[in-house]
Amino acid sequence: GNSVTQMEGPVTLSEEAFLTINCTYTATGYPSLFWYVQYPGEGLQLLLKATKADDKGSNKGFEATYRKETTSFHLEKGSVQVSDSAVYFCALRDSGYSTLTFGKGTMLLVSP
Amino acid sequence: NAGVTQTPKFQVLKTGQSMTLQCAQDMNHNSMYWYRQDPGMGLRLIYYSASEGTTDKGEVPNGYNVSRLNKREFSLRLESAAPSQTSVYFCASSGPGQGTDTQYFGPGTRLTVL
């Protein structure tokens, strides 16, 4: 079956530090990959996505590249801000399916 | 354009009580979903509806029922609540085509079962 594995948190950084949150996946087909973000007390919202190998998704300074050879989709940002503090979820949608499989989420805490 | 709305925002039940969580979307999406979020477990799919008139079980359907009332509305019912159903529940929608990638989430319902 499908699965998504994320690094456990919390990840604690100082403002302007470099961020990496690791995500690897297992899928039976050719999945689309996503990063969702959840700010405190809110629902999830799409941060970025990639639909095929070697695609790079980007949004709000965050980036992730779909690496089929390593089955990975790591999230990166060059300089984090306090406002980036949230829980980040990696997810996949396998080809031919409408449902998403989520990782367990990684909490990011950014201090001034 | 409100997106995905959920009611209520908070609810406290006693074991054995029943309740229905309501979800509506105004984006003309075909597909709708119910998830639960528990600490350390991420989001787990309870039920989904790929299109109006159809519903399917997800990863954790036991103890729940759903109704796709029309294209806009998808409700989740707990017939006899148990403490293990204490969780945050999220509704989501996607579309217009089946399998369209981006899911849009509601703000969640925080449910406590005593």
Side-chain angles (χ1 to χ4, degrees):
Chain A
N2 298 333
S3 67
V4 175
T5 302
Q6 293 181 234
M7 60 189 293
E8 290 193 20
V11 174
T12 305
L13 296 173
S14 298
E15 205 165 25
E16 300 183 2
F18 184 86
L19 168 71
T20 300
I21 299 178
N22 291 338
C23 171
T24 57
Y25 68 89
T26 302
T28 54
Y30 301 94
S32 296
L33 301 173
F34 308 82
W35 278 101
Y36 279 82
V37 59
Q38 183 181 31
Y39 298 103
E42 299 184 8
L44 279 71
Q45 52 186 277
L46 180 69
L47 181 60
L48 54 85
K49 69 179 184 181
T51 58
K52 62 183 187 297
D54 300 325
D55 271 1
K56 177 185 283 188
S58 61
N59 186 26
K60 300 181 181 179
F62 291 89
E63 294 183 338
T65 301
Y66 187 164
R67 302 284 189 202
K68 189 178 178 190
E69 63 276 13
T70 55
T71 61
S72 64
F73 192 55
H74 304 323
L75 183 67
E76 295 182 336
K77 186 175 185 183
S79 176
V80 294
Q81 306 299 312
V82 172
S83 57
D84 293 327
S85 297
V87 180
Y88 292 81
F89 291 92
C90 186
L92 70 82
R93 183 183 68 79
D94 209 349
S95 52
Y97 295 88
S98 63
T99 59
L100 292 174
T101 299
F102 285 90
K104 294 184 178 181
T106 302
M107 180 177 288
L108 170 65
L109 300 171
V110 182
S111 57
Chain B
N1 189 337
V4 179
T5 57
Q6 293 183 236
T7 56
K9 290 189 186 301
F10 301 94
Q11 184 71 49
V12 178
L13 293 178
K14 294 181 180 178
T15 297
Q17 287 185 318
S18 63
M19 79 162 295
T20 300
L21 283 66
Q22 306 287 354
C23 173
Q25 52 90 10
D26 63 1
M27 296 174 282
N28 200 35
H29 285 168
N30 282 345
S31 301
M32 298 185 74
Y33 312 83
W34 277 106
Y35 295 90
R36 60 179 289 173
Q37 183 179 27
D38 302 292
M41 300 295 291
L43 274 78
R44 293 181 292 170
L45 184 65
I46 305 171
Y47 271 94
Y48 68 102
S49 171
S51 61
E52 187 178 356
T54 68
T55 61
D56 287 285
K57 295 178 180 179
E59 181 183 355
V60 288
N62 290 346
Y64 305 94
N65 285 299
V66 291
S67 296
R68 182 74 183 267
L69 304 171
N70 48 54
K71 191 170 185 178
R72 290 186 65 248
E73 298 172 288
F74 188 40
S75 63
L76 178 72
R77 182 159 179 85
L78 287 69
E79 291 290 352
S80 178
S84 60
Q85 294 179 304
T86 293
S87 188
V88 182
Y89 291 86
F90 289 101
C91 178
S93 70
S94 67
Q98 287 190 29
T100 300
D101 290 340
T102 302
Q103 291 189 13
Y104 296 84
F105 284 78
T109 295
R110 187 174 295 274
L111 174 67
T112 301
V113 182
L114 302 176

